[in-house]
């Protein structure tokens, strides 16, 4: 699971890390204990028609648990279509070697950064 964070002015997102999904809730709780978090943005896998993809049935229970554990922090889904493709393009454009581009952890972290940047950009136009 890729993790990205934004600066205090919420202008730009940066990749933080990639963690195993089964450790996500503990990681977020520890992070929130030391850092200010206003909202959690979760990539929402959707089909080309904009409908929930099959993987949402695996994501929803974890997010529901996270909502119970952190009731004071809003959690919002954000469309993650094409983020892996954009992440790979970004990796190629930056000159990253092929072996690094095949590392799923790096792709996930860059994808999380793209999702959060898209979210931040959408809010700056409102």
């Amino acid at each position: 699971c890729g993790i990205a964070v934004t600066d205090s002015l919420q202008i730009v997102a940066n990749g933080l890390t990639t963690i195993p999904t089964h450790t996500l809730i503990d990681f977020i709780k520890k992070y929130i204990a030391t850092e200010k978090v206003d909202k959690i943005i979760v990539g929402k896998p959707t089909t080309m028609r904009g409908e929930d993809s099959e993987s949402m049935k695996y994501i929803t229970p974890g997010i529901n648990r996270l909502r119970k554990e952190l009731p004071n922090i809003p959690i919002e889904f954000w469309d993650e279509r094409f983020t892996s493709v954009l992440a790979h393009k970004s990796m190629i454009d930056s000159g990253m070697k092929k072996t690094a581009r095949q590392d799923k952890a790096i792709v996930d972290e860059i994808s999380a950064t793209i999702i959060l940047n898209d979210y931040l950009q959408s809010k700056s136009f409102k």
Side-chain angles (χ1 to χ4, degrees):
C1 185
I3 307 288
V5 296
T6 186
D7 58 296
S8 59
L9 297 175
Q10 298 182 2
I11 295 172
V12 67
N14 291 298
L16 181 64
T17 190
T18 304
I19 58 165
T21 303
H22 72 275
T23 66
L24 180 63
I25 292 175
D26 288 337
F27 177 88
I28 292 173
K29 287 167 65 175
K30 287 177 187 171
Y31 185 83
I32 288 172
T34 61
E35 302 291 335
K36 184 179 183 303
V37 174
D38 296 328
K39 185 182 285 188
I40 296 171
I41 306 303
V42 177
K44 181 180 184 182
T46 55
T47 66
M48 293 302 292
R49 300 172 79 192
E51 300 164 348
D52 289 355
S53 77
E54 188 69 20
S55 56
M56 275 302 288
K57 69 181 178 185
Y58 303 106
I59 295 168
T60 302
I63 298 305
N64 288 341
R65 182 172 159 228
L66 188 60
R67 283 187 168 121
K68 284 181 184 175
E69 301 237 5
L70 302 169
N72 297 323
I73 298 181
I75 298 173
E76 189 172 330
F77 281 104
W78 195 255
D79 190 350
E80 69 173 28
R81 279 181 287 184
F82 307 115
T83 54
S84 292
V85 172
L86 292 171
H88 276 104
K89 182 175 177 357
S90 168
M91 294 165 87
I92 290 168
D93 291 348
S94 70
M96 204 175 269
K97 294 190 183 299
K98 185 175 183 177
T99 53
R101 294 193 315 258
Q102 294 172 335
D103 185 339
K104 185 175 177 343
I106 295 171
V107 174
D108 288 348
E109 185 175 328
I110 294 171
S111 295
T113 305
I114 291 168
I115 292 165
L116 185 53
N117 271 319
D118 285 351
Y119 174 83
L120 293 170
Q121 287 178 355
S122 77
K123 299 303 170 195
S124 69
F125 293 112
K126 291 188 177 183

